[in-house]
Amino acid sequence: MNNRIIMHIDCNNAFLSWTAVHMLHSGYKIDIRDRFSVIGGKESERKGVVIAKSNLCKERGVVTGETLYSARKKCPYLDVYQPEFKVYKRYSDIMYTYLCSYSKKIERYSIDECFVDFTDNIIKIDNPVKLAYKIKDEIKKNFGFTVNIGVGNNKLLAKMASDFSKPDKVHTLFYSEIKEKMWPLDVKELFMIGKSSNKKLHDLGIKTIGDLANSDQDFLIRHFKSFGKIMWEYANGIDNSEVECDYGNPKSISNSLVFPYDYSKLEQIYKEIKKLSMMTGKKLRDKKMYAPNVMIWVKFHDFTKVSKQITLDTLINSDEDIYQNALTLFNKLWNPDSDKKIRAICVGVSNLTDVYKVQLSLLENQKDEEKNNNIHLEKAINNIKEKYGDASINYADKV
Ligand SMILES: [Mg+2]
């Protein structure tokens, strides 16, 4: 087994905390973390769901994924705030940039979680636990929100550790601590074990992570195929995956078309923009990414070029969303009455993120994918379910 030092930094109750911090910075006098408050969708038609909730709401039994209508029955004075992805992205960037000052080997695992590998750090780490406390306290002091940090010998152990008890805590899970700290836990607490695997394991008499770790590997493979091997390894704290730095992901996608002749008819141009939007949307979905920015550039017959970009409040990945925004931008760039003809067009999206991993997990309790498509977030989840099946949601809840 390789002895690495990995930390998993996980923001506590990210969406609500970040909204609270943002509001305080904007001059709001009340910290919504100390109120009956939730982040949720639109309440009209009893549709919106709870995406994040304050501790007070939690104490009253409000759970993520339940309808706002039902949450309000538990907390009559509930304040509901809309999700604001621009704000989340900003605080996520702040945390990431801060962590970069400690190590270059950082994986942005989701919008509010990072893995950091300190193994070969230039600054010698004598005491990783002490460093973890320093990082945790600095984030709180500098940025106003709290994190949990898990310290372990690999990503799996670090991730498990950060989940132990919350908020504002540092936990370790080194190889030597697996038996004592991880094995007594219910098997559903193990990374990647979703609801269906959990049930199947319990039916097989495997109740704790320790039971799983001490099960026969072949027996597990017979019941779970290749995943059986993986879950056995995880239960034994084995994970050789690397902290993957972010430079692998493209930050933007675009598609351009040079027309066979210079176009000037509106319907003709709209059709091409639609085509480009669909191509862009497909690439984006193939990568399972979302984007808050849509851009377009237009090259005229005289080779002059103009461009425009918009940053949205939400993250999108559907053809229609890209198309509608591209059209709006295009209409600002070109007037059909002008004598300029169009030679080429490019439609693109940028600032890509796979942030929905987290948002999916936040809605893991949500069963009925047909309802609650009143906000983009929920719509996107439905799209994913349609595309990849319900299993994608269960899978994501541990990703
Ligand atoms: Mg978190």
Side-chain angles (χ1 to χ4, degrees):
M1 290 206 221
N2 50 10
N3 266 309
R4 294 179 287 163
I5 296 293
I6 311 287
M7 286 188 201
H8 179 247
I9 294 99
D10 184 1
C11 180
N12 302 126
N13 212 356
F15 294 166
L16 193 96
S17 304
W18 288 342
T19 302
V21 172
H22 177 70
M23 288 171 75
L24 290 170
H25 280 306
S26 316
Y28 200 70
K29 294 279 176 278
I30 296 156
D31 190 332
I32 64 162
R33 284 170 290 195
D34 304 328
R35 294 292 177 114
F36 291 104
S37 58
V38 297
I39 306 295
K42 294 218 171 68
E43 261 183 301
S44 54
E45 300 161 49
R46 301 182 180 180
K47 270 181 177 172
V49 293
V50 173
I51 297 167
K53 73 264 172 205
S54 68
N55 283 333
L56 281 174
C57 290
K58 202 172 168 183
E59 283 163 20
R60 291 269 180 102
V62 174
V63 293
T64 299
E66 83 173 296
T67 62
L68 293 172
Y69 178 73
S70 137
R72 199 173 277 290
K73 282 185 182 164
K74 297 170 185 170
C75 311
Y77 299 105
L78 191 68
D79 290 323
V80 179
Y81 300 91
Q82 300 292 302
E84 282 187 275
F85 295 109
K86 253 195 241 173
V87 172
Y88 305 156
K89 181 78 172 61
R90 187 160 136 224
Y91 285 95
S92 173
D93 287 347
I94 285 174
M95 183 166 99
Y96 175 74
T97 312
Y98 162 77
L99 292 171
C100 286
S101 66
Y102 280 100
S103 172
K104 291 284 160 275
K105 217 170 169 188
I106 303 184
E107 178 178 344
R108 216 166 173 169
Y109 194 60
S110 70
I111 195 165
D112 73 325
E113 293 168 88
C114 291
F115 283 107
V116 187
D117 188 336
F118 285 101
T119 314
D120 303 315
N121 220 43
I122 311 157
I123 315 160
K124 183 126 179 50
I125 312 290
D126 293 324
N127 187 338
V129 179
K130 217 165 129 185
L131 177 65
Y133 273 101
K134 183 168 182 264
I135 290 172
K136 173 183 86 65
D137 293 338
E138 278 180 3
I139 290 176
K140 189 173 166 183
K141 186 169 146 251
N142 296 339
F143 313 126
F145 57 89
T146 63
V147 296
N148 256 44
I149 301 186
V151 189
N153 296 117
N154 58 38
K155 281 165 74 175
L156 169 84
L157 295 174
K159 170 113 176 122
M160 292 293 297
S162 71
D163 224 22
F164 282 163
S165 68
K166 295 171 176 176
D168 200 18
K169 294 218 160 66
V170 171
H171 299 285
T172 62
L173 185 54
F174 296 116
Y175 288 134
S176 56
E177 299 175 304
I178 290 172
K179 261 187 208 172
E180 169 210 341
K181 290 187 179 176
M182 193 166 85
W183 282 7
L185 301 177
D186 191 294
V187 79
K188 72 167 183 282
E189 304 295 327
L190 185 63
F191 180 63
M192 291 281 278
I193 301 290
K195 279 181 190 131
S196 71
S197 306
N198 178 43
K199 189 182 175 299
K200 213 165 150 187
L201 284 166
H202 274 260
D203 289 346
L204 292 167
I206 297 169
K207 295 188 165 46
T208 65
I209 297 178
D211 291 343
L212 182 60
N214 292 298
S215 297
D216 179 50
Q217 233 195 87
D218 292 332
F219 170 80
L220 294 170
I221 291 168
R222 268 205 305 284
H223 285 280
F224 296 91
K225 306 213 176 77
S226 58
F227 186 49
K229 182 172 183 280
I230 296 170
M231 61 169 83
W232 182 88
E233 287 180 351
Y234 283 171
N236 282 286
I238 301 167
D239 170 30
N240 293 318
S241 67
E242 287 289 324
V243 170
E244 285 169 33
C245 310
D246 276 331
Y247 24 74
N249 268 332
K251 291 279 184 256
S252 65
I253 292 173
S254 64
N255 288 284
S256 59
L257 273 175
V258 180
F259 303 145
Y261 57 94
D262 297 337
Y263 285 6
S264 59
K265 283 207 189 87
L266 211 50
E267 318 93 84
Q268 201 174 23
I269 298 163
Y270 281 5
K271 227 163 115 185
E272 300 302 331
I273 294 177
K274 178 133 204 173
K275 213 186 283 172
L276 290 167
S277 301
M278 287 166 71
M279 286 158 72
T280 304
K282 181 171 186 320
K283 281 188 195 167
L284 194 56
R285 289 189 301 276
D286 284 348
K287 293 184 185 302
K288 297 185 183 163
M289 303 286 264
Y290 292 77
N293 294 348
V294 178
M295 62 75 68
I296 190 166
W297 61 245
V298 179
K299 200 184 255 178
F300 298 110
H301 67 280
D302 58 3
F303 289 88
T304 53
K305 198 170 141 187
V306 287
S307 67
K308 225 171 179 52
Q309 166 169 316
I310 185 174
T311 299
L312 307 165
D313 279 328
T314 54
L315 294 162
I316 59 170
N317 82 343
S318 76
D319 297 344
E320 189 58 23
D321 284 340
I322 298 169
Y323 175 58
Q324 290 303 336
N325 283 291
L327 269 195
T328 308
L329 294 172
F330 174 75
N331 289 331
K332 288 179 185 165
L333 288 174
W334 189 67
N335 176 354
D337 298 332
S338 83
D339 48 8
K340 286 201 169 193
K341 290 185 174 178
I342 295 174
R343 181 185 153 78
I345 285 189
C346 173
V347 172
V349 290
S350 63
N351 224 340
L352 308 194
T353 170
D354 58 356
V355 46
Y356 273 80
K357 270 187 198 170
V358 191
Q359 284 133 23
L360 289 171
S361 78
L362 289 168
L363 289 182
E364 69 179 286
N365 297 326
Q366 193 181 334
K367 296 269 166 20
D368 183 359
E369 68 268 13
E370 246 67 73
K371 61 181 185 185
N372 303 315
N373 55 358
N374 53 337
I375 58 166
H376 285 271
L377 167 64
E378 292 150 357
K379 203 164 79 188
I381 285 163
N382 288 343
N383 290 344
I384 286 184
K385 282 187 173 178
E386 271 164 32
K387 210 164 149 52
Y388 302 108
D390 277 7
S392 63
I393 304 292
N394 292 334
Y395 175 78
D397 75 19
K398 290 288 179 182
V399 166

